[in-house]
Every structure is written in C-alpha cells, then in structure tokens.
Amino acid sequence: MINGHGDDLHRYPGRNLINFSSNILSGVDHTPLMEHLARLASLPASYPDPDASALARMLGAEDTVVVTAGAVEAIYLIALAYRGCRSAIVGPTFSEYEDACRLHAHTVSHVVSLSDTTGAEMVWLCNPNNPTGRVTPHATLLAHIKAHPSTLFVVDQAYAPYTTHPLLTPSEAVAAGNVVMLSSLTKRFSVPGLRIGYAVGAPGIMARIKAVRMPWSVNALAIEGACWLLERADRYPVDADSLHAEALRLASAMGEMGIETLPTDCNFILCRLTDGRPAARLKEWLVEHHNILIRDASNFYGLTPSHFRIASQTPAHNDRLINALKQWTTL
Amino acid sequence: MINGHGDDLHRYPGRNLINFSSNILSGVDHTPLMEHLARLASLPASYPDPDASALARMLGAEDTVVVTAGAVEAIYLIALAYRGCRSAIVGPTFSEYEDACRLHAHTVSHVVSLSDTTGAEMVWLCNPNNPTGRVTPHATLLAHIKAHPSTLFVVDQAYAPYTTHPLLTPSEAVAAGNVVMLSSLTKRFSVPGLRIGYAVGAPGIMARIKAVRMPWSVNALAIEGACWLLERADRYPVDADSLHAEALRLASAMGEMGIETLPTDCNFILCRLTDGRPAARLKEWLVEHHNILIRDASNFYGLTPSHFRIASQTPAHNDRLINALKQWTTL
C-alpha cells in the first residue's frame, strides 16, 4: 500500500461518524455472525486450512477458485505470479493495482479505456469501477477479452453486489482462459473486517497464483464466517436498485449546489468541488461539524485535489449529507 | 508454501484427534476470547487499521514493530524486501524460509550451523529451532551478530514461550541494527487460527518491510483478539519447565523402545524411526488406531522419511502416545 484508502474510521477513535467514505453497505447487523463464531470457541486453537478448501468448493471448485485475504491479496499474488509484465491499468481506479504492479516490477501504463490497452500483457479493470461506479458493458468486455487471447485480464468485480448491470460470470471467466475475476465477500456481506475475497479463473492461472502464496493468509474465523454467511445469503439482501436510486438523488442534489458528479451505475459517486477548495478540507469540516466521513479521492491516479467520493446510505443519512453540503457551499 | 505442515487436523474432519503434530500448547480455553469478540459485533463491519498501530504500540513502538498475519507473513515480506539476496538457512528448520527465499529469487544455501554462514547477506535462524527444539545460546548468537554487521539476521523466536533458555530481547534486536526478530502470538496464546505475529527491528529495516506489504493483511478480529490477550497475558500461563520435563520423559520412553530422539530445549522433540519403516506410515497408523496425530517430518530439508516430530501434551495424553508407540514397535 502506498497511498491511503477510504474507510479510515480507525483514525477517529471514539467518534460515531456516519460513514460515506466506504463503498460498503453500512448498518448490517453482525450479531448473529459473531454469536455463531463465539459458539465455535475452539476456532482460534487450530491452524486454518491453508487452502480454505471447503470455502473454495462453496464458491465454485478447488481448481478454479483461490480464496484470499480480501481481493487485495489476490491483486498482490497476481502481480507477483506474473512479475515483470507490461500492465495497463484502466483508470482512474483502485490504487492497489498500481502499487502491486510496481512492487513486482511491472511496466505500468495508465489508460482511460479498454480500447487503449493494446500491447499490454496484462490489463487491470475494476468493474464496476472504483471510484467512478461505472460498469463496462458485459458484451463489450467479453468481446474485448476474446479479441485479445494472449492478454491476461484481471477483472475486479468486488463491487458486483452494488449494480444491477450484467457482469462476467464465474463460468465465463473460467472458460475464457485469459481472465482472473476477483470477487469480494467484503462488499457482498459488508464484512471488510474479516478479510475475505477470492479469485476465479482457469485452472492453469489459479495454479500459478497458488504457487506464489504463503500459507494460512486467511484466518480461521474469516473462513468459518464466510461459509456461514454464504449459507445464509438470503438473510443479507443488497438492494442495488434502491441504493443506486439514492445515489442518483444525492447526485442530483449536489448538482443543484454546483458540486460536479460523474454518472454512476452503483451506490457510490465520484464528485468534484468546483469552488477551488480541496476535498481534504471538506472532509475535515464534515467530520468536525457534522459527524460525517467522506473519501478524499485526490490520491487516485488521474484525479485532482478537488475530487471526493461518497457512497449512498439510508435516505435519512443522505439527507444529512445533503444539508451539510448545502451549508458548506454557503461558507 | 511448497511443502506441507504440521497441525493438518483439518484433513481429518469429524475426528477428535489428540494433536501432537503442532508445537503449540493445546487445551487452552478460548471461550472468554470469543465471547469478548462476540460483544464487539461491529468488528467485521469496518476495515482494520492497515498498520494495526494500536497493537504495534502494545508490542513495542510503531517504528520498530510490524504486525503481520502470523510470523509467516513477516517471513515472506522480508524475503521480498531483500529480494535476490544470498541467504543462508540454518537447518534442518521450518520450510517457509526456503520457500519465501526461492519465491523472491534469493540464492539459498543450507547450512547446519551459524558458523557456516560466512559470506551470506542474510541468515535465517529459527531459535528455538523447529523441528529440533534446540536453542542457540544467547551469548553465542549475540556475539555472532555483532561480528557480522553487514549480514542481516532473521531470528525467528516464535517458539520463545516454550523454552526457559535466554533469547534475544526486542531491545537487543533493535539496537543491533542488523536483526529482524520474529515473534508469534500463535505460540504464546495458542491461537494459530487468528494469524497474528510480528517482526521487531531497527526502524530502517521495519520501514523497508512495511514498504512491500499489502494493506489489511491482519483481520480486525485478530487485532482485537491480540490486544485483549496481551492485556490478560497472566491468565494464559505457559509452563515451559513442565512441558520440557514432559518432553524429556517422552524422549526417554521412546529411547527405551529404540526410537531415536534428538536433545531438545523445548516442548517438542524430533524423532526418528530406526526400524526402516517410514514416519508417514506411523502417522496414518496412529490416526487410525489411536486417534493420535503426529507430524511426519520427512519433508524438512535434510531429514529422512523416518523422521517425525511430536510436541509433549498433558501427562495423560503423553502416556497414551507412549503406549501406542509401544504397540507399534511390536508390530
């Protein structure tokens, strides 16, 4: 990790902030999950299965799935397994692709569109994209992947639960043979604290990733918790439609205040202050005066000090953000 | 991870085995820990502090401590941070040093003693050593480190709680300037499922390790659990003296049966069948007939198919192992 990230709630201990800084659905009650884990008091006492085989089978199959400590571990493993590649990163996007690539001696080029990636050995695409919330259309993406069989496409679908647009399926990723699809239980179940994600792809690619990984990176509580959550997925609904509608309402309100927003297909919105003031100042002001945490997006490659990102929350909380921003614009 | 490891209990689901295969004190009741975590039901809902700063401060200081997902993450990070080194590994020992070194293009030499490491840029020493349980005397080690100021010594003290011999202190490691000391909460508190360990060394070395690490490798439950355990360390005594005495009793009983054992300073013993039968067969026979799990040690570099490792347990369980082994020797 070189740059900072959102959800830096841990920097404000004791503050009960409304968290717009993370793209993850908030307000999910994890009491049942934690009570389940507490009933398995012997969990800490044994090493986890280093391959998390049982969880891998729930997620697909052991030879096409690699379970990782969040999707971010998969990003670092892929960069290492394909050390020294010519990588194109479609941005602005999540900074860990670049950090992982640079750490493992990739030659990195930043591009703004899939069609600019010709000549790259590896393409990193976040879809839906963080921080813009845009989705590359399914047919466009699949056609591009098929047209470039000697390029490896890393398609990070961590934010899949937050869009209604069609995305790559695991079987498409496996069948393509030149795709690693990343998924995150973090976003699906709102469990960033657990650190659990996975990669899906053809067995040859998965074997290459497994060959460079350390044992036991996913802890026993995370594996058990993930299995438990997957078995009860219907108790953890994510209403992508409503979240998107709220995001559009937020965007519209901000537009009326003169804050620029980009179109989004998700629950989160990339915004830009047009009054010349830095987003970092807005962030600190919102914490101090309104108990609201947003994401200063100025450290995304290609963005400016005026950019910030917010994820829509409940209508009531969104109203509080709108009112706070209205106050900011009059200062 | 290239080779397998001990504590492969997960390979025997539903079997209630007496676990001699892990060097970790068994029988610790983690109910209070898990009840504490369950009371913090919001833990899964936020990203962990990527630096685990609060825990690092409890363990020393933020600039001299790096908290990792078990000591094994530290091993991989060190190998990466010093990619391409000439590394000497004092063995037979834990296989992850070699796996991590090979992954990150080190030139690896296997040596059997510290005095054979001349010319190495990096020396990997497990102290107390796994699988032998031997401790390199404190004065010998410190003198050797001071005599080779341009060599970086990785001294893995994960098994420190299981010996009464003096070992490097964190302040000695920091002051030396050419040492990374590894510690493991896994062994101290019998929590291999949590994945929590740390590295201690001079700020320059720690900064180099931090620069190559991914964010959030340690999950939020592990960080919270570690803080909680450290605050209550006196409730989790490890009686290294008694464990060692039991290990010596086991060794003596095995010696009488013609099973070779090496001298140990810890709770665990490296053993060798002298009847020509492989340890793998003994392992499967003990599982099948006695509900006992041991560690086939044949995959440690430099050992043979006849080697296995056991960690002493309660006197009653140790007696069961002795009786089972007696039966094996008559087969």
Side-chain angles (χ1 to χ4, degrees), chain B:
Chain B
M1 182 181 64
I2 296 167
N3 294 303
H5 284 282
D7 198 8
D8 50 353
L9 265 183
H10 60 84
R11 291 184 49 224
Y12 306 94
R15 296 291 301 268
N16 190 18
L17 300 175
I18 308 175
N19 188 1
F20 291 82
S21 82
S22 163
N23 294 343
I24 297 171
L25 186 65
S26 61
V28 176
D29 178 11
H30 288 308
T31 309
L33 167 66
M34 295 301 283
E35 284 175 353
H36 168 70
L37 293 178
R39 280 191 294 272
L40 301 172
S42 66
L43 267 183
S46 289
Y47 279 90
D49 173 358
D51 291 319
S53 319
L55 178 55
R57 283 192 297 274
M58 285 182 79
L59 294 166
E62 281 185 69
D63 62 340
T64 56
V65 172
V66 178
V67 176
T68 52
V72 78
E73 189 194 7
I75 293 167
Y76 278 76
L77 292 177
I78 294 163
L80 170 58
Y82 294 87
R83 185 179 159 82
C85 261
R86 282 194 311 280
S87 270
I89 298 173
V90 186
T93 193
F94 189 44
S95 60
E96 294 298 330
Y97 310 134
E98 178 175 3
D99 290 357
C101 283
R102 296 217 183 272
L103 183 59
H104 296 299
H106 291 227
T107 308
V108 173
S109 60
H110 289 278
V111 300
V112 295
S113 145
L114 256 191
S115 54
D116 300 335
T117 60
T118 314
E121 294 167 304
M122 189 177 286
V123 170
W124 300 77
L125 178 75
C126 189
N127 199 45
N129 187 41
N130 170 19
T132 63
R134 292 317 296 270
V135 172
T136 300
H138 180 254
T140 309
L141 177 57
L142 209 52
H144 190 85
I145 287 168
K146 289 188 175 168
H148 297 84
S150 59
T151 302
L152 181 62
F153 290 86
V154 182
V155 183
D156 182 350
Q157 297 195 164
Y159 293 103
Y162 297 136
T163 188
T164 57
H165 289 238
L167 300 169
L168 284 190
T169 64
S171 34
E172 284 171 345
V174 173
N178 61 334
V179 169
V180 185
M181 186 185 115
L182 305 186
S183 292
S184 164
L185 297 185
T186 297
K187 277 77 179 183
R188 172 63 187 85
F189 295 102
S190 301
V191 286
L194 285 191
R195 313 311 306 133
I196 194 123
Y198 58 104
V200 179
I205 304 172
M206 294 300 104
R208 189 159 167 176
I209 293 172
K210 285 180 188 175
V212 301
R213 121 187 114 152
M214 71 175 204
W216 314 302
S217 62
V218 183
N219 95 358
L221 284 58
I223 293 175
E224 176 60 34
C227 291
W228 192 85
L229 289 166
L230 284 166
E231 282 168 356
R232 287 153 190 82
D234 55 343
R235 295 191 203 165
Y236 294 84
V238 179
D239 185 345
D241 250 338
S242 303
L243 289 167
H244 183 231
E246 270 297 306
L248 295 185
R249 185 173 75 87
L250 265 175
S252 161
M254 286 194 283
E256 285 170 23
M257 298 171 213
I259 296 173
E260 191 179 282
T261 59
L262 266 75
T264 180
D265 301 311
C266 284
N267 62 325
F268 51 92
I269 319 164
L270 181 60
C271 317
R272 190 175 71 86
L273 291 174
T274 54
D275 59 9
R277 288 183 285 178
R281 203 150 95 205
L282 171 61
K283 173 181 170 173
E284 292 311 319
W285 182 84
L286 285 170
V287 166
E288 191 170 341
H289 297 283
H290 293 276
N291 270 325
I292 281 174
L293 187 65
I294 63 168
R295 169 71 154 92
D296 174 2
S298 59
N299 60 355
F300 282 92
Y301 183 93
L303 297 187
T304 72
S306 308
H307 279 97
F308 62 99
R309 189 194 68 196
I310 54 171
S312 69
Q313 303 296 324
T314 62
H317 281 165
N318 291 340
D319 285 341
R320 284 180 60 174
L321 176 62
I322 290 169
N323 289 330
L325 288 172
K326 270 185 191 152
Q327 193 183 332
W328 162 266
T329 55
T330 63
L331 291 180

Side-chain angles (χ1 to χ4, degrees), chain A residues 31-146:
Chain A
T31 308
L33 167 67
M34 295 301 284
E35 285 175 353
H36 168 71
L37 293 178
R39 280 191 294 273
L40 301 172
S42 67
L43 266 183
S46 290
Y47 278 89
D49 173 357
D51 292 318
S53 318
L55 178 54
R57 283 191 298 273
M58 284 182 80
L59 293 167
E62 281 185 70
D63 62 341
T64 56
V65 173
V66 178
V67 176
T68 52
V72 78
E73 189 194 8
I75 293 167
Y76 278 76
L77 292 176
I78 293 163
L80 170 58
Y82 293 87
R83 187 180 157 82
C85 260
R86 280 195 312 280
S87 270
I89 299 172
V90 185
T93 193
F94 189 44
S95 60
E96 294 298 329
Y97 311 134
E98 178 175 4
D99 289 358
C101 283
R102 296 219 182 269
L103 184 58
H104 296 298
H106 290 227
T107 307
V108 173
S109 60
H110 289 277
V111 300
V112 294
S113 147
L114 254 191
S115 54
D116 300 335
T117 60
T118 314
E121 294 166 304
M122 188 175 290
V123 169
W124 300 78
L125 177 75
C126 190
N127 199 47
N129 188 41
N130 171 20
T132 61
R134 292 314 298 268
V135 171
T136 300
H138 180 254
T140 309
L141 177 57
L142 210 53
H144 191 85
I145 287 168
K146 287 187 175 165

